[in-house]
Amino acid sequence: MKEEKNMKGISRRRFIKGVGTGIVGSYVMLPTMKDSEAKITKSPKDEVLESVRTETLETTINGRKVKSKVEPRTTLADFLRDYLELTGTKVVCNHGECGGCSVILDGRAVYSCMLLALDANGKEVITIEGLMSGENLHPLQQAFIEHDGLQCGFCTPGQIMAAYALLKKFPNPTDEQIMTGMSGNLCRCAAYPNIIKSVRGAAKKMNS
Amino acid sequence: MKNFEYIQPGSLNAVSTLSKEKFVSSHLFAGGTDVLGLMKDNIISPDRLINLKNLPNMDKIVYKKGEGISIGTLVKISDIAENEDIMNHFTALAQAAGEVASPQLRNVGTLGGNICQRPRCWYFRGEFDCIRKGGGICYAYEGENKFHCIVGGGPCYIVHPSDTAVALTALNASIKIHSNGTMKEIPIREFFILPEDDPMKENILEPGEAITEIFIPELETGKKSAYIKLKERDVWDFMTVSIAAVADVSGSLINNVELAFGGTAPKPWYDENINKVFINSKISDLETNVKKIFNDSELLSKNKYKLQLIRNLTKRILNNFSA
């Protein structure tokens, strides 16, 4: 990946992360950091000690080829958020119990927090960011707005990705198929009735 | 989670060699949904993960009519739940696979991994130095033991968490294991072990060994199979108790039956004496007959309800066969 650091356009997230690693990094990391490695991606995670193991990951994220060095312990969720700054994917429980981090891996919904980034090698990942076409929302995203399929909205990216996989498999799902397909995604606001309506509404729109 | 070496061996022999190497703690890694959970909770911190997913020919389902079905260890749980041959001929396994975790985990988890997953006991998963982690006592014995075992316990009182293992036990499956260059086949009814044999393991696998395939023999004519799981939530939960049955029921007569129980013991529970209670018995006598099973249970302070639950579940599954 190409490194383009525009200091004026630095985001709040990048700034906080930069300060955080800066404090530790100035004592521990910088003396042994290799310049060549630091340039590979944008993430401070790549500014690693030479002794730390890294592997090369080549994958396709939202249709774009991505090549990066990662530590084996990096989960796909961390890779998406911290390396690629695709922060639409939410890490909530980080234990594969809530569904907030759901993404599509080779056509199937998976929890990206319970998957090593290296296991996406050679595969195709779709995240919530990959659903929009230009400025236009995907029918599923539109349906969640129209049917009020959320309250606080934190689980919504995961809900939509689970629904995306569900509608790929069953374009005309029965209510039972919707409930089974969405069963791996928790909503603490309990917006479930409207989530089901949203999925049903999106299916109708996508088939028309 | 500490960093580790992620190795992609090209052969089973390499898996054996790598996992037995001295001074390096290794762990086999397939779907990884359980292993990553254990690592995130610091239950295990291996130096090396050995990825099995790229090994060839271990992700196939091959059904031969009249013989049985062979399921590769790397077959995904969701593919088992939706496989026509398994649904039609080994219904209990398809039903059990459909009850595993959530769609996202079924899409990643493998059959071999599912039967080898570690227990869900909250003391084992939590920050307790319990027997299963090499400590001195079982905290569940006098603690919070609502979900713990009613038979086969001591000195540790876990229940085995796998749904598919219960179905495979009733179906009399066998497990093919690659062991340091040679293959061996073990009946699943002898694969799992009790805490009294070794409280730190749930099965007989040793370092250097890996499951390659699970084989289920074709059921005899007239026999059908089923799986029922009770859980506190409707979906996405481990069993409170569960049951798998392979039965030949004609009308109101149970000609033959093999039962396996989940959520009741540290391994999928199979007991010939339980089967004998129901073989050649009448459906109408189920009410009295179920009182004859699990009478030797060691009930803990908070899991007494499981006895009634497992007896009722036995009644329900056998009733379903006659309906």
Side-chain angles (χ1 to χ4, degrees), chain B residues 98-213:
Chain B
E99 290 272 6
V100 171
S102 63
Q104 285 94 327
L105 290 173
R106 293 197 285 274
N107 283 339
V108 176
T110 62
L111 183 60
N114 189 267
I115 64 177
C116 291
Q117 63 183 305
R118 305 301 310 274
R120 304 305 308 182
C121 168
W122 34 47
Y123 295 104
F124 172 70
R125 296 270 168 174
E127 289 174 3
F128 291 85
D129 189 20
C130 73
I131 284 188
R132 197 153 289 270
K133 287 186 282 193
I137 62 165
C138 171
Y139 291 88
Y141 185 63
E142 290 188 325
E144 293 298 329
N145 47 37
K146 179 182 173 186
F147 295 116
H148 289 75
C149 69
I150 59 171
V151 280
C156 161
Y157 289 83
I158 58 150
V159 290
H160 198 276
S162 169
D163 291 300
T164 57
V166 177
L168 291 169
T169 300
L171 289 163
N172 198 14
S174 56
I175 305 211
K176 292 190 181 165
I177 297 168
H178 176 268
S179 176
N180 306 306
T182 57
M183 293 298 297
K184 59 180 180 182
E185 194 167 340
I186 306 280
I188 195 165
R189 292 170 187 173
E190 292 165 24
F191 177 72
F192 296 101
I193 59 172
L194 287 175
E196 63 192 29
D197 300 321
D198 185 346
M200 293 180 69
K201 289 170 66 177
E202 293 84 45
N203 56 57
I204 57 162
L205 284 183
E206 297 283 348
E209 296 186 331
I211 298 178
T212 60
E213 166 189 337

Side-chain angles (χ1 to χ4, degrees), chain A residues 95 108 111 113 119 169 185, chain B residues 6 40 79 82 102 104:
Chain A
H95 272 73
R108 293 177 176 209
Y111 294 145
C113 78
D119 280 342
K169 195 169 170 189
N185 292 69
Chain B
Y6 195 45
K40 286 180 178 189
D79 292 333
E82 290 161 17
S102 63
Q104 285 94 327

Side-chain angles (χ1 to χ4, degrees), chain B residues 30-305:
Chain B
T33 51
D34 189 39
V35 175
L36 284 178
L38 291 162
M39 288 168 68
K40 286 180 178 189
D41 288 338
N42 291 317
I43 313 293
I44 56 169
S45 326
D47 303 320
R48 170 187 284 169
L49 287 186
I50 302 169
N51 183 24
L52 306 175
K53 285 189 288 296
N54 299 330
L55 292 172
N57 301 321
M58 281 164 46
D59 58 352
K60 307 265 186 308
I61 300 177
V62 182
Y63 174 59
K64 283 193 189 136
K65 203 170 165 51
E67 282 180 41
I69 198 160
S70 146
I71 308 170
T73 186
L74 295 175
V75 175
K76 304 269 196 304
I77 300 295
S78 52
D79 292 333
I80 291 172
E82 290 161 17
N83 181 282
E84 296 270 329
D85 291 324
I86 299 179
M87 286 195 284
N88 293 335
H89 303 282
F90 309 94
T91 319
L93 180 62
Q95 288 170 336
E99 290 272 6
V100 171
S102 63
Q104 285 94 327
L105 290 173
R106 293 197 285 274
N107 283 339
V108 176
T110 62
L111 183 60
N114 189 267
I115 64 177
C116 291
Q117 63 183 305
R118 305 301 310 274
R120 304 305 308 182
C121 168
W122 34 47
Y123 295 104
F124 172 70
R125 296 270 168 174
E127 289 174 3
F128 291 85
D129 189 20
C130 73
I131 284 188
R132 197 153 289 270
K133 287 186 282 193
I137 62 165
C138 171
Y139 291 88
Y141 185 63
E142 290 188 325
E144 293 298 329
N145 47 37
K146 179 182 173 186
F147 295 116
H148 289 75
C149 69
I150 59 171
V151 280
C156 161
Y157 289 83
I158 58 150
V159 290
H160 198 276
S162 169
D163 291 300
T164 57
V166 177
L168 291 169
T169 300
L171 289 163
N172 198 14
S174 56
I175 305 211
K176 292 190 181 165
I177 297 168
H178 176 268
S179 176
N180 306 306
T182 57
M183 293 298 297
K184 59 180 180 182
E185 194 167 340
I186 306 280
I188 195 165
R189 292 170 187 173
E190 292 165 24
F191 177 72
F192 296 101
I193 59 172
L194 287 175
E196 63 192 29
D197 300 321
D198 185 346
M200 293 180 69
K201 289 170 66 177
E202 293 84 45
N203 56 57
I204 57 162
L205 284 183
E206 297 283 348
E209 296 186 331
I211 298 178
T212 60
E213 166 189 337
I214 287 103
F215 179 79
I216 315 173
E218 183 92 87
L219 302 191
E220 291 159 34
T221 332
K223 283 189 177 175
K224 285 181 185 162
S225 72
Y227 180 76
I228 307 179
K229 172 179 178 178
L230 289 185
K231 45 202 181 307
E232 286 207 328
R233 299 179 76 238
D234 262 357
V235 289
W236 191 185
D237 200 357
F238 290 92
M239 80 244 328
T240 305
V241 292
S242 73
I243 186 168
V246 176
D248 174 1
V249 178
S250 48
S252 63
L253 192 71
I254 303 165
N255 300 316
N256 205 328
V257 66
E258 287 168 283
L259 295 167
F261 301 87
T264 45
K267 64 177 188 180
W269 196 246
Y270 182 81
D271 182 350
E272 294 281 350
N273 291 324
I274 293 180
N275 297 339
K276 279 182 197 153
V277 170
F278 302 103
I279 292 172
N280 290 323
S281 77
K282 283 188 186 140
I283 291 285
S284 52
D285 292 336
L286 275 177
E287 190 70 46
T288 43
N289 282 339
V290 292
K291 295 202 176 91
K292 297 175 192 163
I293 63 171
F294 287 104
N295 279 322
D296 53 349
S297 303
E298 181 190 2
L299 300 176
L300 303 173
S301 57
K302 295 181 178 173
N303 71 3
K304 294 188 172 60
Y305 73 102

